[in-house]
Amino acid sequence: MKISALLKITTPLHITAPGDKRVDAATGKIVYTEQSTPLISIQKMPVINPKFSAAPVEARESDDDPVMGDILPADASPESTNKDNAPAQRNTIELPVIAANNLAGHLRRHAASLVLDALRARGERVSLPVYSSLVNGAWTGVPDASDMVYGEYVQAKAHPYLGLFGGGPRMMRKGFATFNALPALGWVRDFLSVPHVEAEVMPDVPAHRLTKIFFFRHNDDLADLTNITQLDGTVKDSEDLLTKYHAALLEDKQGGRKGRVSCFTFSSIEVVLPGTTFDVNFELRDDLTDAQIGLFLLTLDRFAQTDTLGGWGRNGFGRFVFSAVDGDGERLFENGRLNRTSSWVMGKLTAWDQAAQAMTGAELEQLLRRGEESREKKAKKAKGEGVPTKDSAYTRLQDALGA
């Protein structure tokens, strides 16, 4: 079963990417000089420019073209420009992306909450390793990789949670695939054959117009002498300390040093603009049970209702709505929420409710326990081969929990 959705960003979206970028505050261009403003950039995915050409810039289409409009930044190297130092067209275009593992991680945590809610309603509790396996997919950073017998595989595959989200010590395979979410632009859909909901979406625009750089500052109230009356009435030896503080600030300024004393900073952040719509796609395995599909639908609904994407949620970033969700021609969502008027949807939810009632903490403890070591590994240990010089992460966690 294939599920396609339109996810519209309603507030700025910032999903941080690693790197040390800087921006010229006057031009808004990315530069690499120490005097420029630090930039916290966002995750992007490079895509081959479908209209890239090795022809001279003058012979190409205009920058008004949605695809051709993506040109190299002002700080491009001379090798990437023509003889007149005019901007050269990119052979790739960087698109804002919501990574597949990001989406899958959000869904896993919501599904884990649904499972734990069902157990808690009956007064059941689980161990810390089981809890961690549910919300994180594992409870150490080192997979068990031990043997799984066929009976255990069948039992895990049939479980409403494990058969859908997988994980655990023996890395049970998930029952669905998640794809990177890219902007719902016509040329992206056509060029990359992206499945999508047949609904009205945003017009084609150059990729660089989907993002913007915001500048911000963190003020230093002591340096700015803000609310000094309050400071005098609450801080010991305020006058003497403030005099010394300002002397240190002046020393830093004269020495060309920044940030040694003052907490003042001036920085920038890159965001995806509100109104940008992403194509979100999932592919559910054909042999999933109705209960597992019901859990997936409820997980998607809770994700849409309560979650945000990326960072800076404290400033209202990362809010979104599902403007459309289709599954094999079935309209799964209406007005941003799960369509409970659909008999098909309600049938899956009923199956999940029944499975949730039958689910037990003891079964999860059994399925998520550490597996038996293979004969080969046991033989190596007996010979002293392959024994780590230090305790493994798994062993250390077991010792910490007294397991």
Side-chain angles (χ1 to χ4, degrees), residues 56-333:
V57 172
E58 294 81 4
R60 299 178 191 152
E61 300 178 43
S62 71
D63 284 351
D64 293 331
D65 182 89
V67 176
M68 302 296 284
D70 289 281
I71 58 175
L72 289 172
D75 58 311
S77 62
E79 292 78 13
S80 63
T81 59
N82 63 11
K83 294 181 180 180
D84 297 325
N85 206 33
Q89 181 197 12
R90 291 180 182 272
N91 66 334
T92 61
I93 297 174
E94 290 194 337
L95 295 169
V97 63
I98 305 174
N101 66 327
N102 188 338
L103 291 167
H106 280 272
L107 294 183
R108 177 183 286 280
R109 287 168 177 81
H110 287 297
S113 294
L114 287 165
V115 170
L116 293 168
D117 287 347
L119 295 176
R120 185 168 54 238
R122 300 198 301 272
E124 289 198 55
R125 289 177 175 266
V126 297
S127 65
L128 186 61
V130 166
Y131 178 87
S132 183
S133 293
L134 290 175
V135 298
N136 297 321
W139 62 286
T140 73
V142 182
D144 190 337
S146 55
D147 295 336
M148 175 186 284
V149 300
Y150 179 70
E152 290 177 324
Y153 167 76
V154 171
Q155 188 181 6
K157 185 180 177 183
H159 191 276
Y161 174 86
L162 280 177
L164 181 63
F165 282 90
R170 280 153 288 177
M171 304 302 290
M172 180 73 182
R173 183 177 297 178
K174 285 201 307 182
F176 67 96
T178 311
F179 298 87
N180 291 323
L182 295 172
L185 299 170
W187 73 265
V188 176
R189 290 174 167 181
D190 294 342
F191 184 57
L192 299 181
S193 300
V194 177
H196 57 275
V197 178
E198 294 296 339
E200 184 178 348
V201 294
M202 59 185 181
D204 279 349
V205 296
H208 65 265
R209 293 185 183 174
L210 300 178
T211 62
K212 190 173 181 62
I213 295 174
F214 290 169
F215 293 89
F216 63 93
R217 57 184 285 170
H218 184 283
N219 292 327
D220 183 345
D221 284 6
L222 296 181
D224 296 338
L225 297 177
T226 302
N227 207 351
I228 295 302
T229 302
Q230 175 178 269
L231 184 146
D232 286 338
T234 56
V235 177
K236 296 178 181 179
D237 303 322
S238 60
E239 184 176 343
D240 180 53
L241 292 175
L242 196 57
T243 299
K244 292 179 180 178
Y245 185 75
H246 275 258
L249 291 177
L250 182 61
E251 182 182 344
D252 274 4
K253 185 176 181 179
Q254 292 174 340
R257 293 170 291 186
K258 295 181 180 180
R260 187 177 70 94
V261 175
S262 176
C263 63
F264 173 85
T265 56
F266 189 65
S267 192
S268 61
I269 184 171
E270 187 179 19
V271 301
V272 182
L273 293 173
T276 302
T277 302
F278 289 82
D279 280 318
V280 177
N281 285 284
F282 305 98
E283 198 168 288
L284 278 60
R285 206 171 55 217
D286 291 337
D287 60 354
L288 290 185
T289 66
D290 285 353
Q292 290 166 343
I293 295 175
L295 174 57
F296 186 88
L297 294 176
L298 279 177
T299 298
L300 207 58
D301 188 47
R302 184 173 287 199
F303 173 53
Q305 179 187 10
T306 64
D307 215 338
T308 59
L309 289 166
W312 279 50
R314 65 187 184 277
N315 292 329
F317 282 27
R319 299 185 183 270
F320 66 91
V321 294
F322 278 133
S323 56
V325 182
D326 283 354
D328 288 348
E330 185 80 24
R331 182 52 59 94
L332 304 179
F333 273 54

